[in-house]
Amino acid sequence: MPDIYTSVTSEASPKYMAPVENAFNKELSQSKSWWKEVIAGVLRGVGETPRKARWGSYMVLPSHHFVTQQEDEEVVLMLRAHPVTNFKWVVTAIVMLILPTLLENLGVFNAIPFKFLFIGKLTWYLATLMFSVEQFMHWYYSVFIVTNERLVDIDFVNLMFRVITYANLNHIEEPAMVTGGIFRSLFQYGDVFVTTASEKPTIEALGVPWPQRVVDIISRLSEELEKKRERGE
Amino acid sequence: MTGNQIITILKSLTILVIVKWFFVVGLIMYSLFAVVVIKQVSVMSETVDSSVNSVMKLFSWLHLAMAILLVVAAIVML
């Protein structure tokens, strides 16, 4: 084998590749540890600790990962609509469940042969089940995520459409919240709106628990990022 | 198919037979929807990793199985 091959493989790779990789890793780990301190400070400032509340609709420092999450990105908050917002579809599903029995007792189906009624009822119950699961999935997978770098809003309009909106924390204006009404005051949930300079001017988290805390955390993280940029880091 | 055969088939059609095939066609369409649901659940599961994902995937496959069973039941029973 000519010398050129052996010289490249035996000398160049360990000698020149290793320092570049180490420098990158060092920078990454420094950035990570800096962020960990900042996140801990922000959470301490608003009186939060890593936790999961309201049936997983308010998670502080969760272990979950999301699609397009970057290596040095850490999830600070993962939010869903408050569980009480599911009330409407739960009631609808219950009504759908009892409707066939109710109509049968009223004698509406008397003229229909049993086998048609049987298959019809099975189809109805399967559709009811699918409706409930679709509504649950819509609630469960529509999340609003606050990371150390950006805001991520994942919305499922229905089973067919997914909309993901991002906003960098250093490109956002002052976040705002809206709450009010009996239900919202009673269960402490509301809407969070964050104005951005991008094409889609507002990123929103609707019906999330403790909106004032969410706004507070976003503001503080954004402020820390701004300070970092001013220092030229 | 001769003209006589077509007339015999048309004579054997009753309201219940028509309803039966409406049921069957409707349930076949529902089964196709169930296939779409499987695909969609897998897309949703990619969004956030969670222990619920496997339950949802299992449910979507069960849902398809039940939809196909209903098509068979409709053809056999009605």
Side-chain angles (χ1 to χ4, degrees), chain A residues 64-67 115-116 126 130 133 136 140-141 154 156 159-160 162, chain B residues 16 30 36 40 43-44 46-50 52-53 56 59 63 77-78:
Chain A
H64 298 286
H65 290 266
F66 65 95
V67 66
K115 54 188 183 180
F116 279 89
L126 189 63
M130 192 57 233
V133 172
F136 171 78
Y140 190 83
Y141 289 110
I154 303 171
F156 282 92
L159 270 178
M160 309 292 162
R162 175 174 73 174
Chain B
L16 287 180
Y30 188 83
V36 176
Q40 197 54 35
V43 171
M44 281 179 158
E46 284 166 14
T47 310
V48 181
D49 67 342
S50 161
V52 174
N53 292 351
M56 284 295 146
F59 170 79
H63 175 246
M77 285 179 69
L78 300 182

PDB file of all heavy atoms in Angstrom, chain A residues 64-67 115-116 126 130 133 136 140-141 154 156 159-160 162, chain B residues 16 30 36 40 43-44 46-50 52-53 56 59 63 77-78:
ATOM      1  N   HIS A  64     -39.565  15.144  29.257  1.00  0.00           N
ATOM      2  CA  HIS A  64     -40.036  14.893  27.889  1.00  0.00           C
ATOM      3  C   HIS A  64     -39.187  15.635  26.855  1.00  0.00           C
ATOM      4  O   HIS A  64     -38.685  16.712  27.122  1.00  0.00           O
ATOM      5  CB  HIS A  64     -41.485  15.358  27.728  1.00  0.00           C
ATOM      6  CG  HIS A  64     -42.429  14.627  28.613  1.00  0.00           C
ATOM      7  ND1 HIS A  64     -42.814  13.341  28.372  1.00  0.00           N
ATOM      8  CD2 HIS A  64     -43.059  14.998  29.735  1.00  0.00           C
ATOM      9  CE1 HIS A  64     -43.649  12.961  29.320  1.00  0.00           C
ATOM     10  NE2 HIS A  64     -43.806  13.950  30.159  1.00  0.00           N
ATOM     11  N   HIS A  65     -39.097  15.032  25.688  1.00  0.00           N
ATOM     12  CA  HIS A  65     -38.437  15.699  24.556  1.00  0.00           C
ATOM     13  C   HIS A  65     -39.479  15.942  23.475  1.00  0.00           C
ATOM     14  O   HIS A  65     -40.495  15.262  23.421  1.00  0.00           O
ATOM     15  CB  HIS A  65     -37.317  14.824  24.006  1.00  0.00           C
ATOM     16  CG  HIS A  65     -36.162  14.729  24.953  1.00  0.00           C
ATOM     17  ND1 HIS A  65     -35.070  15.558  24.882  1.00  0.00           N
ATOM     18  CD2 HIS A  65     -35.951  13.922  26.022  1.00  0.00           C
ATOM     19  CE1 HIS A  65     -34.241  15.266  25.860  1.00  0.00           C
ATOM     20  NE2 HIS A  65     -34.753  14.281  26.563  1.00  0.00           N
ATOM     21  N   PHE A  66     -39.208  16.897  22.620  1.00  0.00           N
ATOM     22  CA  PHE A  66     -40.168  17.174  21.550  1.00  0.00           C
ATOM     23  C   PHE A  66     -39.459  17.174  20.203  1.00  0.00           C
ATOM     24  O   PHE A  66     -38.231  17.247  20.124  1.00  0.00           O
ATOM     25  CB  PHE A  66     -40.876  18.511  21.792  1.00  0.00           C
ATOM     26  CG  PHE A  66     -39.975  19.719  21.738  1.00  0.00           C
ATOM     27  CD1 PHE A  66     -39.836  20.450  20.576  1.00  0.00           C
ATOM     28  CD2 PHE A  66     -39.264  20.116  22.856  1.00  0.00           C
ATOM     29  CE1 PHE A  66     -39.006  21.567  20.522  1.00  0.00           C
ATOM     30  CE2 PHE A  66     -38.425  21.211  22.814  1.00  0.00           C
ATOM     31  CZ  PHE A  66     -38.289  21.939  21.647  1.00  0.00           C
ATOM     32  N   VAL A  67     -40.257  17.103  19.155  1.00  0.00           N
ATOM     33  CA  VAL A  67     -39.726  17.066  17.800  1.00  0.00           C
ATOM     34  C   VAL A  67     -38.956  18.375  17.539  1.00  0.00           C
ATOM     35  O   VAL A  67     -39.350  19.427  18.018  1.00  0.00           O
ATOM     36  CB  VAL A  67     -40.902  16.870  16.794  1.00  0.00           C
ATOM     37  CG1 VAL A  67     -41.839  18.047  16.772  1.00  0.00           C
ATOM     38  CG2 VAL A  67     -40.427  16.557  15.418  1.00  0.00           C
ATOM     39  N   LYS A 115     -81.031  -7.106  13.863  1.00  0.00           N
ATOM     40  CA  LYS A 115     -79.639  -7.177  13.379  1.00  0.00           C
ATOM     41  C   LYS A 115     -79.149  -5.827  12.845  1.00  0.00           C
ATOM     42  O   LYS A 115     -77.990  -5.463  13.024  1.00  0.00           O
ATOM     43  CB  LYS A 115     -79.492  -8.285  12.326  1.00  0.00           C
ATOM     44  CG  LYS A 115     -80.431  -8.213  11.168  1.00  0.00           C
ATOM     45  CD  LYS A 115     -80.312  -9.449  10.312  1.00  0.00           C
ATOM     46  CE  LYS A 115     -81.234  -9.335   9.094  1.00  0.00           C
ATOM     47  NZ  LYS A 115     -81.162 -10.489   8.230  1.00  0.00           N
ATOM     48  N   PHE A 116     -80.039  -5.058  12.246  1.00  0.00           N
ATOM     49  CA  PHE A 116     -79.653  -3.723  11.772  1.00  0.00           C
ATOM     50  C   PHE A 116     -79.381  -2.802  12.959  1.00  0.00           C
ATOM     51  O   PHE A 116     -78.437  -2.010  12.949  1.00  0.00           O
ATOM     52  CB  PHE A 116     -80.769  -3.130  10.893  1.00  0.00           C
ATOM     53  CG  PHE A 116     -80.722  -3.641   9.482  1.00  0.00           C
ATOM     54  CD1 PHE A 116     -81.392  -4.797   9.120  1.00  0.00           C
ATOM     55  CD2 PHE A 116     -79.984  -2.966   8.508  1.00  0.00           C
ATOM     56  CE1 PHE A 116     -81.340  -5.279   7.829  1.00  0.00           C
ATOM     57  CE2 PHE A 116     -79.929  -3.449   7.208  1.00  0.00           C
ATOM     58  CZ  PHE A 116     -80.599  -4.618   6.863  1.00  0.00           C
ATOM     59  N   LEU A 126     -68.480   2.735  18.275  1.00  0.00           N
ATOM     60  CA  LEU A 126     -67.106   2.830  17.779  1.00  0.00           C
ATOM     61  C   LEU A 126     -66.792   4.281  17.393  1.00  0.00           C
ATOM     62  O   LEU A 126     -65.710   4.796  17.713  1.00  0.00           O
ATOM     63  CB  LEU A 126     -66.914   1.902  16.562  1.00  0.00           C
ATOM     64  CG  LEU A 126     -65.474   1.738  16.073  1.00  0.00           C
ATOM     65  CD1 LEU A 126     -64.603   1.093  17.132  1.00  0.00           C
ATOM     66  CD2 LEU A 126     -65.421   0.897  14.795  1.00  0.00           C
ATOM     67  N   MET A 130     -64.021   6.774  18.985  1.00  0.00           N
ATOM     68  CA  MET A 130     -63.038   7.486  18.153  1.00  0.00           C
ATOM     69  C   MET A 130     -63.110   8.978  18.405  1.00  0.00           C
ATOM     70  O   MET A 130     -62.083   9.655  18.499  1.00  0.00           O
ATOM     71  CB  MET A 130     -63.309   7.162  16.678  1.00  0.00           C
ATOM     72  CG  MET A 130     -62.198   7.604  15.755  1.00  0.00           C
ATOM     73  SD  MET A 130     -60.637   6.895  16.228  1.00  0.00           S
ATOM     74  CE  MET A 130     -59.623   8.346  16.349  1.00  0.00           C
ATOM     75  N   VAL A 133     -61.357   9.687  21.708  1.00  0.00           N
ATOM     76  CA  VAL A 133     -59.899   9.554  21.618  1.00  0.00           C
ATOM     77  C   VAL A 133     -59.303  10.697  20.795  1.00  0.00           C
ATOM     78  O   VAL A 133     -58.261  11.249  21.140  1.00  0.00           O
ATOM     79  CB  VAL A 133     -59.519   8.173  21.025  1.00  0.00           C
ATOM     80  CG1 VAL A 133     -58.036   8.098  20.733  1.00  0.00           C
ATOM     81  CG2 VAL A 133     -59.901   7.078  21.995  1.00  0.00           C
ATOM     82  N   PHE A 136     -59.201  13.684  22.977  1.00  0.00           N
ATOM     83  CA  PHE A 136     -58.138  13.531  23.980  1.00  0.00           C
ATOM     84  C   PHE A 136     -56.772  13.817  23.345  1.00  0.00           C
ATOM     85  O   PHE A 136     -55.948  14.538  23.916  1.00  0.00           O
ATOM     86  CB  PHE A 136     -58.161  12.110  24.572  1.00  0.00           C
ATOM     87  CG  PHE A 136     -56.969  11.843  25.448  1.00  0.00           C
ATOM     88  CD1 PHE A 136     -56.909  12.331  26.744  1.00  0.00           C
ATOM     89  CD2 PHE A 136     -55.886  11.112  24.961  1.00  0.00           C
ATOM     90  CE1 PHE A 136     -55.783  12.096  27.545  1.00  0.00           C
ATOM     91  CE2 PHE A 136     -54.766  10.875  25.747  1.00  0.00           C
ATOM     92  CZ  PHE A 136     -54.722  11.369  27.041  1.00  0.00           C
ATOM     93  N   TYR A 140     -54.008  16.407  24.315  1.00  0.00           N
ATOM     94  CA  TYR A 140     -52.738  15.896  24.836  1.00  0.00           C
ATOM     95  C   TYR A 140     -51.531  16.347  24.002  1.00  0.00           C
ATOM     96  O   TYR A 140     -50.482  16.677  24.539  1.00  0.00           O
ATOM     97  CB  TYR A 140     -52.783  14.363  24.893  1.00  0.00           C
ATOM     98  CG  TYR A 140     -51.611  13.772  25.629  1.00  0.00           C
ATOM     99  CD1 TYR A 140     -51.612  13.690  27.022  1.00  0.00           C
ATOM    100  CD2 TYR A 140     -50.491  13.315  24.946  1.00  0.00           C
ATOM    101  CE1 TYR A 140     -50.541  13.174  27.699  1.00  0.00           C
ATOM    102  CE2 TYR A 140     -49.406  12.794  25.623  1.00  0.00           C
ATOM    103  CZ  TYR A 140     -49.443  12.722  26.999  1.00  0.00           C
ATOM    104  OH  TYR A 140     -48.358  12.214  27.676  1.00  0.00           O
ATOM    105  N   TYR A 141     -51.706  16.338  22.685  1.00  0.00           N
ATOM    106  CA  TYR A 141     -50.554  16.638  21.828  1.00  0.00           C
ATOM    107  C   TYR A 141     -50.458  18.112  21.417  1.00  0.00           C
ATOM    108  O   TYR A 141     -49.481  18.490  20.774  1.00  0.00           O
ATOM    109  CB  TYR A 141     -50.564  15.736  20.589  1.00  0.00           C
ATOM    110  CG  TYR A 141     -50.242  14.302  20.921  1.00  0.00           C
ATOM    111  CD1 TYR A 141     -51.212  13.307  20.846  1.00  0.00           C
ATOM    112  CD2 TYR A 141     -48.970  13.931  21.329  1.00  0.00           C
ATOM    113  CE1 TYR A 141     -50.919  11.991  21.159  1.00  0.00           C
ATOM    114  CE2 TYR A 141     -48.664  12.623  21.641  1.00  0.00           C
ATOM    115  CZ  TYR A 141     -49.646  11.652  21.553  1.00  0.00           C
ATOM    116  OH  TYR A 141     -49.366  10.347  21.875  1.00  0.00           O
ATOM    117  N   ILE A 154     -47.167  23.891  19.480  1.00  0.00           N
ATOM    118  CA  ILE A 154     -47.594  22.789  18.611  1.00  0.00           C
ATOM    119  C   ILE A 154     -49.104  22.649  18.725  1.00  0.00           C
ATOM    120  O   ILE A 154     -49.633  22.383  19.800  1.00  0.00           O
ATOM    121  CB  ILE A 154     -46.896  21.466  19.010  1.00  0.00           C
ATOM    122  CG1 ILE A 154     -45.374  21.639  18.961  1.00  0.00           C
ATOM    123  CG2 ILE A 154     -47.334  20.331  18.090  1.00  0.00           C
ATOM    124  CD1 ILE A 154     -44.592  20.475  19.525  1.00  0.00           C
ATOM    125  N   PHE A 156     -52.698  20.983  17.081  1.00  0.00           N
ATOM    126  CA  PHE A 156     -53.376  20.058  16.176  1.00  0.00           C
ATOM    127  C   PHE A 156     -54.758  20.607  15.926  1.00  0.00           C
ATOM    128  O   PHE A 156     -55.596  20.624  16.833  1.00  0.00           O
ATOM    129  CB  PHE A 156     -53.439  18.651  16.785  1.00  0.00           C
ATOM    130  CG  PHE A 156     -52.143  17.927  16.664  1.00  0.00           C
ATOM    131  CD1 PHE A 156     -51.206  17.987  17.669  1.00  0.00           C
ATOM    132  CD2 PHE A 156     -51.834  17.211  15.525  1.00  0.00           C
ATOM    133  CE1 PHE A 156     -49.989  17.348  17.551  1.00  0.00           C
ATOM    134  CE2 PHE A 156     -50.622  16.568  15.395  1.00  0.00           C
ATOM    135  CZ  PHE A 156     -49.697  16.633  16.409  1.00  0.00           C
ATOM    136  N   LEU A 159     -57.303  15.885  13.318  1.00  0.00           N
ATOM    137  CA  LEU A 159     -56.397  14.739  13.142  1.00  0.00           C
ATOM    138  C   LEU A 159     -55.467  14.909  11.929  1.00  0.00           C
ATOM    139  O   LEU A 159     -54.424  14.282  11.843  1.00  0.00           O
ATOM    140  CB  LEU A 159     -57.205  13.453  12.982  1.00  0.00           C
ATOM    141  CG  LEU A 159     -57.537  12.701  14.261  1.00  0.00           C
ATOM    142  CD1 LEU A 159     -58.368  11.476  13.946  1.00  0.00           C
ATOM    143  CD2 LEU A 159     -56.292  12.285  15.019  1.00  0.00           C
ATOM    144  N   MET A 160     -55.866  15.747  10.990  1.00  0.00           N
ATOM    145  CA  MET A 160     -55.103  15.854   9.739  1.00  0.00           C
ATOM    146  C   MET A 160     -54.083  16.993   9.730  1.00  0.00           C
ATOM    147  O   MET A 160     -53.160  16.968   8.937  1.00  0.00           O
ATOM    148  CB  MET A 160     -56.066  16.059   8.556  1.00  0.00           C
ATOM    149  CG  MET A 160     -57.182  15.059   8.490  1.00  0.00           C
ATOM    150  SD  MET A 160     -56.561  13.439   8.101  1.00  0.00           S
ATOM    151  CE  MET A 160     -57.932  12.435   8.624  1.00  0.00           C
ATOM    152  N   ARG A 162     -51.334  19.646  11.546  1.00  0.00           N
ATOM    153  CA  ARG A 162     -50.465  20.007  12.668  1.00  0.00           C
ATOM    154  C   ARG A 162     -49.779  21.327  12.316  1.00  0.00           C
ATOM    155  O   ARG A 162     -49.238  21.481  11.234  1.00  0.00           O
ATOM    156  CB  ARG A 162     -49.428  18.909  12.885  1.00  0.00           C
ATOM    157  CG  ARG A 162     -48.410  19.247  13.945  1.00  0.00           C
ATOM    158  CD  ARG A 162     -47.496  18.088  14.249  1.00  0.00           C
ATOM    159  NE  ARG A 162     -46.545  17.843  13.178  1.00  0.00           N
ATOM    160  CZ  ARG A 162     -45.558  16.945  13.266  1.00  0.00           C
ATOM    161  NH1 ARG A 162     -45.419  16.216  14.341  1.00  0.00           N
ATOM    162  NH2 ARG A 162     -44.725  16.768  12.264  1.00  0.00           N
TER     163      ARG A 162
ATOM    164  N   LEU B  16     -84.242  -3.207   2.739  1.00  0.00           N
ATOM    165  CA  LEU B  16     -83.247  -3.684   3.715  1.00  0.00           C
ATOM    166  C   LEU B  16     -81.926  -4.054   3.042  1.00  0.00           C
ATOM    167  O   LEU B  16     -80.863  -3.832   3.612  1.00  0.00           O
ATOM    168  CB  LEU B  16     -83.804  -4.876   4.502  1.00  0.00           C
ATOM    169  CG  LEU B  16     -84.883  -4.513   5.525  1.00  0.00           C
ATOM    170  CD1 LEU B  16     -85.368  -5.766   6.249  1.00  0.00           C
ATOM    171  CD2 LEU B  16     -84.385  -3.493   6.541  1.00  0.00           C
ATOM    172  N   TYR B  30     -65.243   4.082   6.745  1.00  0.00           N
ATOM    173  CA  TYR B  30     -64.799   4.297   8.128  1.00  0.00           C
ATOM    174  C   TYR B  30     -63.474   3.567   8.375  1.00  0.00           C
ATOM    175  O   TYR B  30     -62.587   4.094   9.060  1.00  0.00           O
ATOM    176  CB  TYR B  30     -65.876   3.801   9.102  1.00  0.00           C
ATOM    177  CG  TYR B  30     -65.577   4.166  10.538  1.00  0.00           C
ATOM    178  CD1 TYR B  30     -65.904   5.431  11.033  1.00  0.00           C
ATOM    179  CD2 TYR B  30     -64.966   3.271  11.400  1.00  0.00           C
ATOM    180  CE1 TYR B  30     -65.612   5.782  12.341  1.00  0.00           C
ATOM    181  CE2 TYR B  30     -64.675   3.607  12.710  1.00  0.00           C
ATOM    182  CZ  TYR B  30     -65.005   4.860  13.177  1.00  0.00           C
ATOM    183  OH  TYR B  30     -64.707   5.217  14.461  1.00  0.00           O
ATOM    184  N   VAL B  36     -56.055   6.087   8.232  1.00  0.00           N
ATOM    185  CA  VAL B  36     -55.512   7.452   8.323  1.00  0.00           C
ATOM    186  C   VAL B  36     -55.194   7.786   9.790  1.00  0.00           C
ATOM    187  O   VAL B  36     -54.179   8.417  10.093  1.00  0.00           O
ATOM    188  CB  VAL B  36     -56.505   8.487   7.725  1.00  0.00           C
ATOM    189  CG1 VAL B  36     -55.999   9.906   7.912  1.00  0.00           C
ATOM    190  CG2 VAL B  36     -56.727   8.207   6.256  1.00  0.00           C
ATOM    191  N   GLN B  40     -51.812   9.191  11.479  1.00  0.00           N
ATOM    192  CA  GLN B  40     -51.822  10.447  12.213  1.00  0.00           C
ATOM    193  C   GLN B  40     -51.339  10.278  13.647  1.00  0.00           C
ATOM    194  O   GLN B  40     -50.621  11.130  14.169  1.00  0.00           O
ATOM    195  CB  GLN B  40     -53.245  11.027  12.188  1.00  0.00           C
ATOM    196  CG  GLN B  40     -53.314  12.485  12.547  1.00  0.00           C
ATOM    197  CD  GLN B  40     -52.398  13.350  11.708  1.00  0.00           C
ATOM    198  OE1 GLN B  40     -52.199  13.079  10.525  1.00  0.00           O
ATOM    199  NE2 GLN B  40     -51.798  14.352  12.321  1.00  0.00           N
ATOM    200  N   VAL B  43     -47.683  10.301  13.671  1.00  0.00           N
ATOM    201  CA  VAL B  43     -47.153  11.672  13.517  1.00  0.00           C
ATOM    202  C   VAL B  43     -47.264  12.430  14.843  1.00  0.00           C
ATOM    203  O   VAL B  43     -46.335  13.109  15.276  1.00  0.00           O
ATOM    204  CB  VAL B  43     -47.916  12.438  12.402  1.00  0.00           C
ATOM    205  CG1 VAL B  43     -47.524  13.909  12.379  1.00  0.00           C
ATOM    206  CG2 VAL B  43     -47.635  11.817  11.050  1.00  0.00           C
ATOM    207  N   MET B  44     -48.410  12.281  15.510  1.00  0.00           N
ATOM    208  CA  MET B  44     -48.611  12.962  16.796  1.00  0.00           C
ATOM    209  C   MET B  44     -47.618  12.463  17.831  1.00  0.00           C
ATOM    210  O   MET B  44     -47.094  13.237  18.630  1.00  0.00           O
ATOM    211  CB  MET B  44     -50.033  12.721  17.289  1.00  0.00           C
ATOM    212  CG  MET B  44     -51.076  13.583  16.632  1.00  0.00           C
ATOM    213  SD  MET B  44     -52.703  13.204  17.256  1.00  0.00           S
ATOM    214  CE  MET B  44     -53.594  14.700  16.893  1.00  0.00           C
ATOM    215  N   GLU B  46     -44.667  11.458  17.408  1.00  0.00           N
ATOM    216  CA  GLU B  46     -43.320  11.998  17.183  1.00  0.00           C
ATOM    217  C   GLU B  46     -43.170  13.386  17.805  1.00  0.00           C
ATOM    218  O   GLU B  46     -42.061  13.818  18.110  1.00  0.00           O
ATOM    219  CB  GLU B  46     -43.057  12.136  15.682  1.00  0.00           C
ATOM    220  CG  GLU B  46     -42.773  10.827  14.990  1.00  0.00           C
ATOM    221  CD  GLU B  46     -42.861  10.959  13.479  1.00  0.00           C
ATOM    222  OE1 GLU B  46     -42.881  12.095  12.973  1.00  0.00           O
ATOM    223  OE2 GLU B  46     -42.922   9.912  12.811  1.00  0.00           O
ATOM    224  N   THR B  47     -44.286  14.078  17.979  1.00  0.00           N
ATOM    225  CA  THR B  47     -44.230  15.452  18.456  1.00  0.00           C
ATOM    226  C   THR B  47     -43.615  15.553  19.856  1.00  0.00           C
ATOM    227  O   THR B  47     -42.725  16.344  20.088  1.00  0.00           O
ATOM    228  CB  THR B  47     -45.652  16.056  18.477  1.00  0.00           C
ATOM    229  OG1 THR B  47     -46.245  15.808  17.213  1.00  0.00           O
ATOM    230  CG2 THR B  47     -45.622  17.529  18.745  1.00  0.00           C
ATOM    231  N   VAL B  48     -44.138  14.749  20.756  1.00  0.00           N
ATOM    232  CA  VAL B  48     -43.636  14.758  22.130  1.00  0.00           C
ATOM    233  C   VAL B  48     -43.459  13.319  22.574  1.00  0.00           C
ATOM    234  O   VAL B  48     -44.358  12.505  22.365  1.00  0.00           O
ATOM    235  CB  VAL B  48     -44.655  15.447  23.079  1.00  0.00           C
ATOM    236  CG1 VAL B  48     -44.141  15.472  24.494  1.00  0.00           C
ATOM    237  CG2 VAL B  48     -44.965  16.849  22.616  1.00  0.00           C
ATOM    238  N   ASP B  49     -42.307  12.993  23.164  1.00  0.00           N
ATOM    239  CA  ASP B  49     -42.158  11.615  23.640  1.00  0.00           C
ATOM    240  C   ASP B  49     -42.847  11.461  25.002  1.00  0.00           C
ATOM    241  O   ASP B  49     -42.719  12.304  25.878  1.00  0.00           O
ATOM    242  CB  ASP B  49     -40.683  11.175  23.677  1.00  0.00           C
ATOM    243  CG  ASP B  49     -39.883  11.925  24.705  1.00  0.00           C
ATOM    244  OD1 ASP B  49     -40.355  12.990  25.124  1.00  0.00           O
ATOM    245  OD2 ASP B  49     -38.800  11.461  25.087  1.00  0.00           O
ATOM    246  N   SER B  50     -43.623  10.410  25.112  1.00  0.00           N
ATOM    247  CA  SER B  50     -44.436  10.223  26.315  1.00  0.00           C
ATOM    248  C   SER B  50     -44.840   8.755  26.419  1.00  0.00           C
ATOM    249  O   SER B  50     -44.855   8.028  25.420  1.00  0.00           O
ATOM    250  CB  SER B  50     -45.681  11.108  26.200  1.00  0.00           C
ATOM    251  OG  SER B  50     -46.670  10.675  27.076  1.00  0.00           O
ATOM    252  N   VAL B  52     -47.725   7.746  26.945  1.00  0.00           N
ATOM    253  CA  VAL B  52     -49.062   7.604  26.355  1.00  0.00           C
ATOM    254  C   VAL B  52     -48.963   7.185  24.878  1.00  0.00           C
ATOM    255  O   VAL B  52     -49.885   6.573  24.344  1.00  0.00           O
ATOM    256  CB  VAL B  52     -49.844   8.938  26.508  1.00  0.00           C
ATOM    257  CG1 VAL B  52     -51.173   8.897  25.791  1.00  0.00           C
ATOM    258  CG2 VAL B  52     -50.061   9.248  27.967  1.00  0.00           C
ATOM    259  N   ASN B  53     -47.829   7.507  24.246  1.00  0.00           N
ATOM    260  CA  ASN B  53     -47.690   7.252  22.805  1.00  0.00           C
ATOM    261  C   ASN B  53     -47.968   5.799  22.427  1.00  0.00           C
ATOM    262  O   ASN B  53     -48.686   5.529  21.467  1.00  0.00           O
ATOM    263  CB  ASN B  53     -46.279   7.635  22.335  1.00  0.00           C
ATOM    264  CG  ASN B  53     -46.053   9.128  22.390  1.00  0.00           C
ATOM    265  OD1 ASN B  53     -46.993   9.885  22.619  1.00  0.00           O
ATOM    266  ND2 ASN B  53     -44.829   9.560  22.228  1.00  0.00           N
ATOM    267  N   MET B  56     -51.631   4.976  22.632  1.00  0.00           N
ATOM    268  CA  MET B  56     -52.366   5.569  21.512  1.00  0.00           C
ATOM    269  C   MET B  56     -52.169   4.752  20.234  1.00  0.00           C
ATOM    270  O   MET B  56     -53.109   4.539  19.470  1.00  0.00           O
ATOM    271  CB  MET B  56     -51.882   7.011  21.277  1.00  0.00           C
ATOM    272  CG  MET B  56     -52.399   7.971  22.281  1.00  0.00           C
ATOM    273  SD  MET B  56     -54.176   8.098  22.154  1.00  0.00           S
ATOM    274  CE  MET B  56     -54.611   8.349  23.827  1.00  0.00           C
ATOM    275  N   PHE B  59     -54.129   1.645  20.521  1.00  0.00           N
ATOM    276  CA  PHE B  59     -55.550   1.928  20.337  1.00  0.00           C
ATOM    277  C   PHE B  59     -55.891   2.101  18.856  1.00  0.00           C
ATOM    278  O   PHE B  59     -56.911   1.592  18.385  1.00  0.00           O
ATOM    279  CB  PHE B  59     -55.972   3.184  21.111  1.00  0.00           C
ATOM    280  CG  PHE B  59     -57.360   3.610  20.740  1.00  0.00           C
ATOM    281  CD1 PHE B  59     -58.460   2.964  21.286  1.00  0.00           C
ATOM    282  CD2 PHE B  59     -57.576   4.582  19.778  1.00  0.00           C
ATOM    283  CE1 PHE B  59     -59.732   3.294  20.888  1.00  0.00           C
ATOM    284  CE2 PHE B  59     -58.846   4.925  19.371  1.00  0.00           C
ATOM    285  CZ  PHE B  59     -59.929   4.276  19.938  1.00  0.00           C
ATOM    286  N   HIS B  63     -58.575   0.017  16.886  1.00  0.00           N
ATOM    287  CA  HIS B  63     -59.689   0.720  16.249  1.00  0.00           C
ATOM    288  C   HIS B  63     -59.867   0.238  14.804  1.00  0.00           C
ATOM    289  O   HIS B  63     -60.987  -0.036  14.359  1.00  0.00           O
ATOM    290  CB  HIS B  63     -59.407   2.229  16.309  1.00  0.00           C
ATOM    291  CG  HIS B  63     -60.416   3.057  15.597  1.00  0.00           C
ATOM    292  ND1 HIS B  63     -60.119   3.793  14.483  1.00  0.00           N
ATOM    293  CD2 HIS B  63     -61.727   3.263  15.838  1.00  0.00           C
ATOM    294  CE1 HIS B  63     -61.202   4.416  14.079  1.00  0.00           C
ATOM    295  NE2 HIS B  63     -62.191   4.130  14.876  1.00  0.00           N
ATOM    296  N   MET B  77     -73.996 -10.630   8.790  1.00  0.00           N
ATOM    297  CA  MET B  77     -75.232 -10.620   9.583  1.00  0.00           C
ATOM    298  C   MET B  77     -76.433  -9.986   8.867  1.00  0.00           C
ATOM    299  O   MET B  77     -77.565 -10.411   9.052  1.00  0.00           O
ATOM    300  CB  MET B  77     -75.009  -9.884  10.905  1.00  0.00           C
ATOM    301  CG  MET B  77     -74.222 -10.695  11.921  1.00  0.00           C
ATOM    302  SD  MET B  77     -73.963  -9.766  13.424  1.00  0.00           S
ATOM    303  CE  MET B  77     -75.625  -9.691  14.068  1.00  0.00           C
ATOM    304  N   LEU B  78     -76.159  -8.933   8.105  1.00  0.00           N
ATOM    305  CA  LEU B  78     -77.320  -8.194   7.552  1.00  0.00           C
ATOM    306  C   LEU B  78     -77.888  -8.871   6.307  1.00  0.00           C
ATOM    307  O   LEU B  78     -77.225  -9.558   5.582  1.00  0.00           O
ATOM    308  CB  LEU B  78     -76.909  -6.739   7.255  1.00  0.00           C
ATOM    309  CG  LEU B  78     -76.417  -5.923   8.456  1.00  0.00           C
ATOM    310  CD1 LEU B  78     -76.080  -4.501   8.038  1.00  0.00           C
ATOM    311  CD2 LEU B  78     -77.454  -5.888   9.577  1.00  0.00           C
TER     312      LEU B  78
END
